[in-house]
Amino acid sequence: MISIKGLTKKFLIQHKEITAVDDLSLTIKKGEIFGVIGYSGAGKSTLIRLINRLEEPTSGSVIIGDKEITNLRKGELRNARQNIGMIFQHFNLLWSRTVSENISFPLEIAGVPKDEREKRVQELIQLVGLAGRENAYPSQLSGGQKQRVGIARALANDPKVLLCDEATSALDPETTNSILDLLVDINERLGLTIILITHEMHVIQKICNRVAVMENGKIVEQGEVIDVFLKPKHSVTKKFVEQVMGNEEGDLTEIIDDHSAGKLVRLHFIGETANQALISTISKQFNIEVNILQGKINQTKLGAYGTLTVQILGEIEEIDRTITFIKEETSIEVEVLAHA
């Protein structure tokens, strides 16, 4: 488990004090993929560098397992960092070294014997899908392959925690998905705790268990990914959700104006309920008609989520019976938007 308490980082820039991380507290469970999202300048990259003390905190503490990282001396910190791997947006590879030599580098620093190094490098090359590219140089690799080298290098010392600082933002969508799939595979195989920094909500949606939203150095919202997607509270979170869900509120006024008969209802689907044949069921069971006006369903690591806006037509008593049935007999949440 990772416990962050009261973490603060202040920089002095041109005689002006800037607070990049502001009294931040956070708990990350062992073995989970935890996302931190925020726009540029939110403080998320500073946060991840504070976790392994690439940046020195102004105040506060970071505890990983049974070690308080913020209290360790240089020698102790060097040893502790072997349990904390890190991958970067721009790969940070050694351009004069081959794939194998890049992956071997942290093992050399740790004093691992040559035979053990070579065996470990081959294991990691197979793990990240780079078989046959062992002797290639970074200049001969695609962006996705470079990041796979970065991931293998970060895993060389068998860390318990993997920090990912915008690890996919320099990649195209297809390559991004392949790298995210690799991170999920590594998480499941090795039981790694992964902290993923990003400004892209679809990255959070695809692989994270929980997410924290940062603004101005603070966490403004956090929770299970499905909960945050379906019920975003903070304005920044709502903007991020619109990246993948679209701006449903922006279309709502026009929909209401164009469909004044019956009742307009928004259905919130969570988890397995997104796969229920609700529309078919209520159309057969009640004397009503249902028009689907707008909807979107997405998948997260923990299940499906989404919303569906429908117009229910019929006698008002029958419409009310239908809505009551949905509320009481299913786990789908119902929001009445407008009625005649």
Side-chain angles (χ1 to χ4, degrees):
M1 185 182 77
I2 300 172
S3 177
I4 300 169
K5 297 179 181 178
L7 197 61
T8 298
K9 177 63 181 180
K10 297 181 179 182
F11 294 97
L12 193 64
I13 301 176
Q14 296 180 345
H15 307 292
K16 183 179 179 181
E17 189 175 77
I18 303 295
T19 302
V21 175
D22 190 1
D23 192 27
L24 186 148
S25 296
L26 190 63
T27 299
I28 298 167
K29 301 172 187 175
K30 182 180 179 181
E32 77 173 326
I33 303 180
F34 190 95
V36 179
I37 191 167
Y39 289 109
S40 179
K44 57 191 187 297
S45 289
T46 301
L47 168 62
I48 206 168
R49 292 171 65 85
L50 289 169
I51 291 174
N52 63 359
R53 273 180 61 186
L54 288 177
E55 293 284 357
E56 289 292 335
T58 304
S59 61
S61 66
V62 176
I63 300 171
I64 300 178
D66 59 354
K67 285 187 169 58
E68 186 169 344
I69 302 299
T70 36
N71 277 349
L72 297 180
R73 300 187 180 190
K74 285 187 177 180
E76 296 170 323
L77 179 61
R78 193 178 305 115
N79 291 332
R81 279 181 177 155
Q82 292 186 14
N83 286 317
I84 309 170
M86 188 165 183
I87 57 177
F88 305 87
Q89 176 180 0
H90 296 297
F91 320 124
N92 285 19
L93 301 181
L94 300 170
W95 295 88
S96 61
R97 284 181 169 238
T98 64
V99 167
S100 292
E101 290 167 344
N102 264 282
I103 298 170
S104 180
F105 186 60
L107 296 171
E108 294 173 28
I109 294 174
V112 176
K114 184 178 180 181
D115 289 348
E116 289 183 33
R117 289 203 309 265
E118 291 178 351
K119 180 181 177 182
R120 179 63 175 156
V121 167
Q122 284 305 311
E123 289 173 351
L124 290 166
I125 284 173
Q126 293 296 325
L127 178 66
V128 301
L130 286 173
R133 304 296 285 163
E134 295 90 336
N135 298 317
Y137 289 90
S139 61
Q140 299 171 309
L141 303 175
S142 67
Q145 289 172 331
K146 290 172 188 172
Q147 196 55 283
R148 287 172 185 269
V149 177
I151 292 170
R153 182 185 59 187
L155 297 176
N157 283 311
D158 194 23
K160 302 296 182 284
V161 176
L162 181 62
L163 308 178
C164 306
D165 188 8
E166 298 279 8
T168 60
S169 61
L171 306 175
D172 62 74
E174 184 176 350
T175 306
T176 291
N177 283 332
S178 71
I179 294 298
L180 295 177
D181 288 339
L182 175 59
L183 290 175
V184 170
D185 183 53
I186 288 168
N187 167 255
E188 292 174 349
R189 283 200 203 188
L190 306 180
L192 275 178
T193 302
I194 298 178
I195 304 174
L196 192 148
I197 299 294
T198 185
H199 64 274
E200 299 169 301
M201 201 60 166
H202 75 272
V203 171
I204 300 293
Q205 169 196 339
K206 185 174 176 65
I207 72 168
C208 293
N209 304 95
R210 293 190 300 140
V211 61
V213 183
M214 284 191 71
E215 185 183 40
N216 297 325
K218 294 180 177 290
I219 292 175
V220 296
E221 190 165 351
Q222 65 174 300
E224 298 284 344
V225 170
I226 286 180
D227 294 337
V228 171
F229 265 80
L230 279 177
K231 297 179 181 178
K233 296 177 178 64
H234 196 276
S235 58
V236 171
T237 313
K238 291 176 182 178
K239 289 179 182 178
F240 279 120
V241 171
E242 285 177 12
Q243 289 181 5
V244 291
M245 292 292 288
N247 184 3
E248 294 182 353
E249 296 301 328
D251 300 331
L252 189 56
T253 301
E254 183 177 343
I255 290 174
I256 291 173
D257 289 342
D258 292 344
H259 300 85
S260 57
K263 284 191 177 183
L264 287 188
V265 173
R266 178 172 289 168
L267 306 173
H268 296 271
F269 298 85
I270 304 173
E272 293 181 0
T273 61
N275 297 318
Q276 291 181 2
L278 176 69
I279 303 303
S280 174
T281 299
I282 61 175
S283 296
K284 292 175 182 177
Q285 191 162 337
F286 299 95
N287 188 25
I288 51 135
E289 293 182 16
V290 181
N291 294 325
I292 298 175
L293 306 178
Q294 182 189 65
K296 189 165 187 179
I297 296 176
N298 284 283
Q299 290 288 332
T300 71
K301 188 180 180 187
L302 299 180
Y305 70 93
T307 61
L308 197 63
T309 302
V310 300
Q311 179 188 32
I312 304 177
L313 299 171
E315 296 293 332
I316 191 66
E317 293 83 2
E318 194 71 354
I319 294 174
D320 289 341
R321 285 181 62 226
T322 304
I323 293 173
T324 299
F325 170 81
I326 299 171
K327 289 180 177 179
E328 295 181 354
E329 302 299 328
T330 77
S331 55
I332 296 169
E333 296 184 20
V334 182
E335 178 186 1
V336 177
L337 303 174
H339 55 82

